Amino acid sequence: MNSQGFVASRTARCEKVSGDVVVVGGGLTGVCCALTAARRGTRVVLVQDRPVLGGNASSEVRLWALGATSHMGNNNRWSREGGVIDEIMTENVYRNKEGNPVIFDTVLLDLVMREPNVKLLLNTVVYKVIKSSDDQIDSVVAYNPINETRYEISGRFFADCSGDGLVSYLAGAPYRMGSEDREVYGEGFTPDRQTYGELLGHTILFYMKDTGKPVEYVAPDFALKDVEKHISKIHNDEYFSIHHHGCKYWWIEYGGRLDTIHDSEDIKRELWKVVYGIWNYIKNSGRFPEMDTYTLEWVGTIPGKRESRRMRGFYTLTQQDIIEQRSHYDAVSYGGWAIDLHPSNGVYADGRACNQWHSKGVYQIPYRCYLGANIRNLMFGGRIMSSSHVANGSTRVMCTSASGGQAIGMALALCVENGRMPADYVRPELVGELQTALVGSGQYIPGIKARDDANLLYSAKITASSTFCFSGYAPNGAYRPLVFSTAALFPVRGQMPKLTLSVRAEDATELKVELRVALRDKGYTPDSTIETLAIPLVKGEQVVTAEFAAAFDESRYVFVCFMANDKVSLAESDDLVSGTTTVLNQINLAVSNYGRQDPPAEIGIDSFEFWCPLRRPQGKNIAFSVEPAQEIFSLELLADSLTRPVGATNAWAAALDDESPELTLEWDGAKMINGLRLFFDTDFDHAMETVQMGHSENVMPFCVREYEVADAENRVLAKVSDNYQAVNRILFPKPVATDKLHIRLKHPRQRIPATIFHLVIK
């Protein structure tokens, strides 16, 4: 070890780093951006100011990552985000279905650290932007206090995924902070600044555990006294329970009337004051003797932020874009969380801790929301994307932000490949190139079908060993009381089939059945009743039929609704079929779902009912048969780039009695094939909360686990035996010349058919 004598001063070690794309911010937005760009061969530097990746989803904050699925409490069927964020969420469920936040940290680190084109800088805080001109960033300067190193990080393009928009701010880009006046965008839900406030605050969560022996607790002096007096929600069973911890305390929120950037340390101290005050109340008020053996296991040390700066882009998303589900030619992402605004007084506010108003389905987010005109080589994503304060109440959630991160990463990778600038892809004649690349990588963009003409699938003759026909679900012997109105949801084209089902009645009564569809194209809100039946029932078990006159020219989802009747029970089934499900008109208070929403008329939001599935293992289908069996799967649907159910199943499935399901693709002559991508069903209707909730399965039951790919001579080119991901990328060691490919699959389970949405062959 060398020693040195006194010198006048020293400077920190400096390291120069460069990349094609510099991503600042290692939350889910930044991770998805970095991985997307890197997988295209782009050199990426990912700069994160914390010791772990994940941002609000990390073990430092421990908020569950969610998006359009909204705890499965809305009408957004099959809406979980695709692409890289789906890969992350599915990987986490596979490794960590119990929802351990520390393990989720490792899932993210693993994905990033094994990507050779990403240089990861943790604990590295950007504090300066250097520009080569007024509209061009040359580099950022950052410091890591752990290794005492100053980094000068240069790049061709920069992605600001920092949460607070630090890079954009330092570069001089325009931004907004707080709520706009109602007149600015004409948004009916714009809050009154005086009574409701301008910003959403921060939250700090805590965890507890039972030690099995008495534990005393002495609160710090700074802990809030008289919690019952200051926090009215302590008296509200919807919010407070001694059995709650973690994300259940999302309503411990503060800072909405402060500067949520520069006052963050003060906000954190106030949140600590509240958290330790609540725990002192639980332990020492004398009201909860059953908590005698519990200890406080963990309290967050940094607050989870909801809102701060929002950058000004080429387009600003508003309430109307969300509620009306407006179409955008340059859509690259989407959202589906409710417009979720909170009173700025946060935990100290009386009344509800949030106001959530849902839209009737998912909405597009245009590319123009992720870049502005002022800095040519900068894009921004996450909760700082260009939106109004009201729209930010929906777009801010992590999986929506991450989906936008993938769009940014793909756009910047294409800029590197093609010598373009981000603004070039605003042009209608070029944005299709970006959309096609995103869809091909697994990203779902509502309303966008992006045909990749280089895909050899389109020139192949496709045959199958069999095709599954939907004949309903076989009963398992159990019955479900019809406490809530319950609907079978499946696609139909042509004459509506006859349904036959077993029911049990406690007394003579009537079963009311309604055939409903969604008024909005490709929607899942059953707000249009086509026919109504009244079926008389006698006491006991019986078989009934429901026959309808309706017919449909195009494939569309129908809801066969069995209306609530507490004297009636319906037979249940354990069968699962891709693109079909059972939904209930039930209540989910976690997302302000009371069975229906009826907002004030003046705020410009729809009234409608909620029809949502139950989670497995409770989430079972109603048992029924349909006659004739429905041809809802076909080889033609494989050519559709929609890799999830949207208006149709969009998939091919093999018949259950086919013991060796096989697809064969044949060309007129030999093709040079580098590899292929297969798109499987990982149940996009299942919300994959990253922490605390837990999941009953670590692999989605619809997903094909085993398959192999062989050439015309039956040589096996690839074999997979433990798949659990939606998108499988097969790259052959060297290009294969063949005029035929065989794809042989196994059914994932005994009563679940092998299903594929789409193939990309190049």
Side-chain angles (χ1 to χ4, degrees):
M1 180 73 70
N2 292 329
S3 63
Q4 296 181 4
F6 173 80
V7 295
S9 65
R10 297 185 177 96
T11 59
R13 183 172 74 97
C14 182
E15 182 178 336
K16 293 187 177 182
V17 180
S18 66
D20 297 317
V21 174
V22 178
V23 181
V24 178
L28 293 184
T29 306
V31 167
C32 290
C33 177
L35 289 174
T36 301
R39 289 173 178 178
R40 296 280 300 198
T42 304
R43 295 180 304 117
V44 176
V45 182
L46 176 58
V47 187
Q48 165 71 328
D49 61 357
R50 306 300 308 167
V52 292
L53 297 167
N56 281 346
S58 75
S59 61
E60 293 188 309
V61 180
R62 307 194 179 191
L63 179 64
W64 45 42
L66 272 176
T69 53
S70 188
H71 293 299
M72 296 166 65
N74 60 18
N75 290 350
N76 299 345
R77 300 283 62 75
W78 297 291
S79 66
R80 195 177 70 244
E81 294 72 15
V84 177
I85 186 58
D86 178 63
E87 178 184 344
I88 289 169
M89 303 290 274
T90 305
E91 188 70 36
N92 183 61
V93 169
Y94 181 72
R95 300 189 191 187
N96 181 33
K97 69 184 181 69
E98 295 77 21
N100 184 327
V102 176
I103 295 177
F104 184 61
D105 286 348
T106 69
V107 169
L108 296 176
L109 283 167
D110 214 13
L111 280 169
V112 172
M113 291 174 66
R114 71 175 182 231
E115 175 50 61
N117 289 323
V118 174
K119 181 175 180 59
L120 175 62
L121 300 176
L122 294 174
N123 291 309
T124 303
V125 182
V126 171
Y127 64 89
K128 186 178 182 180
V129 168
I130 297 174
K131 298 167 73 175
S132 56
S133 63
D134 286 346
D135 63 353
Q136 185 95 3
I137 298 174
D138 177 75
S139 60
V140 296
V141 183
Y143 183 70
N144 184 328
I146 307 300
N147 63 11
E148 295 185 355
T149 300
R150 182 169 64 91
Y151 292 95
E152 295 178 1
I153 309 165
S154 59
R156 295 171 61 183
F157 299 99
F158 293 81
D160 187 350
C161 305
S162 62
D164 286 330
L166 176 65
V167 176
S168 304
Y169 174 77
L170 293 176
Y175 69 95
R176 305 174 183 85
M177 197 162 172
S179 176
E180 297 88 357
D181 291 329
R182 181 168 298 195
E183 293 73 27
V184 175
Y185 297 117
E187 298 171 304
F189 194 31
T190 301
D192 178 83
R193 294 179 179 180
Q194 297 302 314
T195 60
Y196 206 77
E198 290 201 49
L199 287 161
L200 281 73
H202 304 354
T203 286
I204 280 180
L205 305 172
F206 70 87
Y207 278 74
M208 61 185 181
K209 73 174 181 179
D210 188 352
T211 67
K213 59 184 179 181
V215 177
E216 293 185 358
Y217 176 67
V218 179
D221 289 343
F222 63 76
L224 181 66
K225 312 298 189 295
D226 300 323
V227 166
E228 290 180 284
K229 175 182 176 182
H230 296 289
I231 302 176
S232 62
K233 292 175 185 62
I234 287 289
H235 308 288
N236 187 332
D237 292 341
E238 183 181 340
Y239 296 111
F240 176 75
S241 168
I242 58 172
H243 303 295
H244 286 173
H245 65 178
C247 299
K248 295 290 186 178
Y249 277 101
W250 59 267
W251 53 269
I252 298 180
E253 179 178 355
Y254 184 73
R257 294 193 182 275
L258 301 175
D259 183 329
T260 53
I261 297 174
H262 299 106
D263 293 334
S264 280
E265 284 296 295
D266 294 334
I267 294 170
K268 177 182 70 177
R269 293 188 186 98
E270 186 67 21
L271 288 167
W272 275 341
K273 174 180 172 182
V274 171
V275 166
Y276 288 105
I278 288 176
W279 185 248
N280 187 42
Y281 169 68
I282 290 172
K283 288 291 292 183
N284 296 323
S285 67
R287 294 177 178 269
F288 313 109
E290 61 270 44
M291 300 302 291
D292 182 52
T293 58
Y294 280 76
T295 189
L296 193 58
E297 182 182 30
W298 174 87
V299 175
T301 54
I302 61 171
K305 290 190 179 184
R306 291 181 174 87
E307 183 182 11
S308 56
R309 298 185 185 103
R310 304 186 313 281
M311 307 316 299
R312 295 180 61 184
F314 280 92
Y315 186 87
T316 299
L317 201 78
T318 67
Q319 172 184 323
Q320 293 90 327
D321 290 295
I322 294 172
I323 298 303
E324 298 171 17
Q325 296 163 39
R326 291 178 173 175
S327 294
H328 301 279
Y329 76 93
D330 59 336
V332 291
S333 182
Y334 70 99
W337 186 261
I339 298 178
D340 182 3
L341 300 183
H342 302 190
S344 292
N345 288 343
V347 69
Y348 296 120
D350 294 328
R352 298 202 57 76
C354 72
N355 281 286
Q356 292 190 48
W357 298 112
H358 299 260
S359 62
K360 286 186 181 180
V362 297
Y363 56 89
Q364 295 178 341
I365 300 177
Y367 177 68
R368 288 164 292 159
C369 290
Y370 300 113
L371 74 164
N374 308 90
I375 311 296
R376 297 176 64 245
N377 63 338
L378 172 69
M379 296 189 71
F380 36 75
R383 56 185 168 86
I384 65 171
M385 63 161 271
S386 182
S387 71
S388 68
H389 168 73
V390 172
N392 181 257
S394 174
T395 62
R396 63 184 171 82
V397 294
M398 282 186 277
C399 289
T400 304
S401 295
S403 179
Q406 177 153 354
I408 293 169
M410 186 65 75
L412 295 180
L414 292 177
C415 286
V416 172
E417 292 173 23
N418 300 317
R420 296 193 179 115
M421 299 301 290
D424 291 337
Y425 287 100
V426 172
R427 290 156 53 187
E429 67 270 23
L430 287 181
V431 73
E433 177 186 331
L434 172 58
Q435 292 167 330
T436 298
L438 283 167
V439 170
S441 69
Q443 180 97 318
Y444 170 55
I445 310 173
I448 300 296
K449 291 188 177 182
R451 179 187 171 104
D452 184 352
D453 290 331
N455 185 358
L456 294 174
L457 173 74
Y458 298 123
S459 59
K461 176 186 176 183
I462 311 173
T463 57
S465 58
S466 65
T467 298
F468 180 87
C469 283
F470 179 61
S471 58
Y473 313 108
N476 62 11
Y479 281 80
R480 175 191 300 170
L482 199 54
V483 176
F484 298 101
S485 295
T486 302
L489 177 60
F490 57 93
V492 171
R493 181 177 181 179
Q495 177 63 46
M496 182 68 194
K498 178 176 69 174
L499 273 70
T500 302
L501 66 158
S502 295
V503 301
R504 178 184 290 164
E506 295 180 6
D507 205 344
T509 185
E510 184 178 81
L511 176 62
K512 184 178 179 182
V513 186
E514 296 182 358
L515 177 63
R516 299 189 188 183
V517 296
L519 285 172
R520 289 190 176 178
D521 184 42
K522 308 298 190 294
Y524 296 105
T525 297
D527 46 5
S528 175
T529 302
I530 296 176
E531 294 181 56
T532 299
L533 305 176
I535 302 173
L537 301 178
V538 297
K539 184 177 180 179
E541 293 185 17
Q542 57 219 278
V543 175
V544 301
T545 60
E547 296 188 63
F548 302 96
F552 306 97
D553 294 334
E554 297 182 352
S555 176
R556 72 179 305 168
Y557 272 87
V558 298
F559 295 74
V560 182
C561 304
F562 302 93
M563 308 310 288
N565 184 335
D566 58 10
K567 294 182 179 180
V568 176
S569 297
L570 304 181
E572 284 189 330
S573 175
D574 293 325
D575 288 0
L576 296 172
V577 176
S578 293
T580 72
T581 191
T582 295
V583 292
L584 290 76
N585 180 215
Q586 59 177 352
I587 294 170
N588 187 336
L589 297 181
V591 290
S592 298
N593 173 346
Y594 298 91
R596 65 173 291 118
Q597 72 173 21
D598 287 302
E602 68 274 9
I603 70 171
I605 292 173
D606 297 319
S607 296
F608 59 90
E609 293 178 342
F610 294 99
W611 291 74
C612 314
L614 294 171
R615 291 176 187 262
R616 292 184 297 272
Q618 289 77 24
K620 298 181 184 296
N621 285 310
I622 306 167
F624 61 88
S625 64
V626 296
E627 185 184 346
Q630 297 295 289
E631 297 179 355
I632 62 175
F633 299 96
S634 71
L635 292 172
E636 288 74 20
L637 290 171
L638 281 174
D640 200 315
S641 64
L642 292 170
T643 54
R644 62 184 64 209
V646 183
T649 62
N650 296 318
W652 167 81
L656 281 172
D657 59 1
D658 183 351
E659 295 183 359
S660 302
E662 181 174 336
L663 284 173
T664 301
L665 298 98
E666 189 171 3
W667 294 270
D668 292 337
K671 304 293 183 182
M672 293 299 294
I673 301 175
N674 296 296
L676 65 161
R677 267 168 281 152
L678 304 94
F679 295 80
F680 295 115
D681 187 356
T682 52
D683 189 7
F684 287 102
D685 213 18
H686 181 71
M688 291 183 171
E689 293 91 346
T690 48
V691 298
Q692 192 169 351
M693 290 283 292
H695 305 277
S696 61
E697 308 135 333
N698 71 335
V699 175
M700 296 299 103
F702 302 92
C703 186
V704 170
R705 304 297 310 281
E706 298 181 54
Y707 65 93
E708 68 178 27
V709 180
D711 66 7
E713 283 71 41
N714 247 348
R715 290 177 297 216
V716 175
L717 305 174
K719 188 170 185 176
V720 176
S721 59
D722 190 24
N723 174 52
Y724 50 88
Q725 287 284 357
V727 183
N728 280 213
R729 297 168 179 86
I730 305 295
L731 183 64
F732 302 144
K734 60 181 182 180
V736 173
T738 185
D739 63 356
K740 189 180 294 186
L741 284 181
H742 302 277
I743 302 174
R744 303 182 179 111
L745 312 99
K746 289 189 177 181
H747 296 298
R749 297 189 185 178
Q750 185 177 3
R751 295 287 302 171
I752 303 176
T755 303
I756 297 182
F757 285 121
H758 187 50
L759 295 165
V760 175
I761 305 168
K762 291 185 177 181

